[in-house]
Amino acid sequence: MTANLIEMWNNPDLNENLDMVHFAARVRSVLTALSTPAPDVVLLQEVTAESAATVATQLTSRTGRTYAVGVNAASGAGAVESNPATGPLVRRETAILYNTETVSLSSPAASLIGYPESQVQDGEWLSLRQATALVTKRSSGKKFAIYGTHFQTHNKVIDHDLYGGIWADFLKRRVNEIPAYAGATPVIAGDFNRRPCINETDSSLASSGYMTACSGASGEQMSGLWTAMTNSTTDGPGTYVAARPATEAAPDNIFTTGTVVSTNRDYDYKAYGTGETRFANASDFLTCHYLYNGGNGYTGGQGSSSTADAIPGCAERYYSDHAFVWATIQ
C-alpha cells in the first residue's frame, strides 16, 4: 500500500495525530473485504517520524497485527535536513512500515534523489529521500525489493517527463545493483507526481493544465515516467506492471515486475455523491472537508478537530489530496 498523507504541510496536524488515527481506521475499513485485511507493507509520503509511528501503532491496534517502522522519515515539521552536497533543501518525508507477523525486513536505507538546480523552477526541493528495504514473506520465503519514493511536482521541474523517466530508470537499476536484493521481485511505489492523460474530446477535463492528451493506439500517456516503468526497450531492466492505469487522474501508483492480482484506491470522504452515502448532504461534506483541511488554503480550518468528528459521516475520515493505492502482488 502507498499513501501520501500531506501531513507535514497541514500545520494543525503537526500538533496532534488524529489524521493519522483516522487514516489507519479508514485502511482497516476499506480492506475488510479482502481475505487478509492487513497490508504486508505500507509506504508513506509527506509524513514525519512522529506521524509514521502513529500510523504503525494505530494499524497494530486496529488490525490485530504488529506493525513496525522499517525506514523512517525525519522528525519534526517539514522533515527538512541539510546535506553538504546539495544544500539545505533535502526533504526526508518517506517511510516504510511493515507487518512483522507476515514479513521480515532487512537492508533498510534512505538515499538521495537529487534534481539539478537548473531544473527546479523555484529552488524548492532540490533533493528528496527515497526509502528502500528488502522484505521477505514469512509464509513462502519470497523476497520483494521495496522502494518508496516521492518525485518532484510537474510544475516545479522544467522538464518533468524527462526527469520522471530518468528517476524511474534510476530506481529500476538500483533494484538490480544492490546485492542483497538479488532475486527479489521489485516493487516501486509512491507519489510520482505523474501527469495522467485524457481523451482530447473530454471537454470536462480538456482545459486542465495538469492533464495531457492521450497518445498511442492504446490511448495511454507515453510520458517519460510511464514509458520508463512499463517499456522494456528503455534504459533500465525489466517491464513493469502498473497497479493503476495511465489514464487515471492520480499521481500515485505501484509498479512491479511481479503479478498484480488485484488493485484499487480510496479517496475516503472526497467521494461524496458517488457510490455509498457517507454524508447526509453536500453541506455536511463540505464542512467536514473544511475542518479537516486546516493549513491547506482554508483559512481558519481546524485540522482533525472534535468539531469535525461531531458531523455525521465525518468521524474517522482523514484529509489528504491523494488516494491511497493498494495492490496484491505475487
Side-chain angles (χ1 to χ4, degrees), residues 141-196:
K142 186 167 184 175
K143 295 181 178 181
F144 295 85
I146 304 295
Y147 274 72
T149 193
H150 189 180
F151 285 8
Q152 180 58 281
T153 56
H154 77 277
N155 61 333
K156 292 184 177 181
V157 176
I158 292 173
D159 194 333
H160 186 265
D161 280 356
L162 171 65
Y163 281 91
I166 288 174
W167 291 124
D169 282 337
F170 168 75
L171 292 179
K172 289 165 68 176
R173 288 194 300 270
R174 284 288 300 276
V175 169
N176 281 16
E177 290 172 358
I178 298 176
Y181 290 4
T185 299
V187 179
I188 301 175
D191 177 5
F192 298 96
N193 276 305
R194 65 188 182 94
R195 301 186 68 175

Side-chain angles (χ1 to χ4, degrees), residues 4 8 53 68 97 105-106 129 153 158 178 207 212 221 256 271 297:
N4 181 318
M8 69 178 189
L97 314 184
L105 182 143
S106 58
R129 291 288 187 184
T153 56
I158 292 173
I178 298 176
S207 62
T212 56
Q221 163 72 0
T256 182

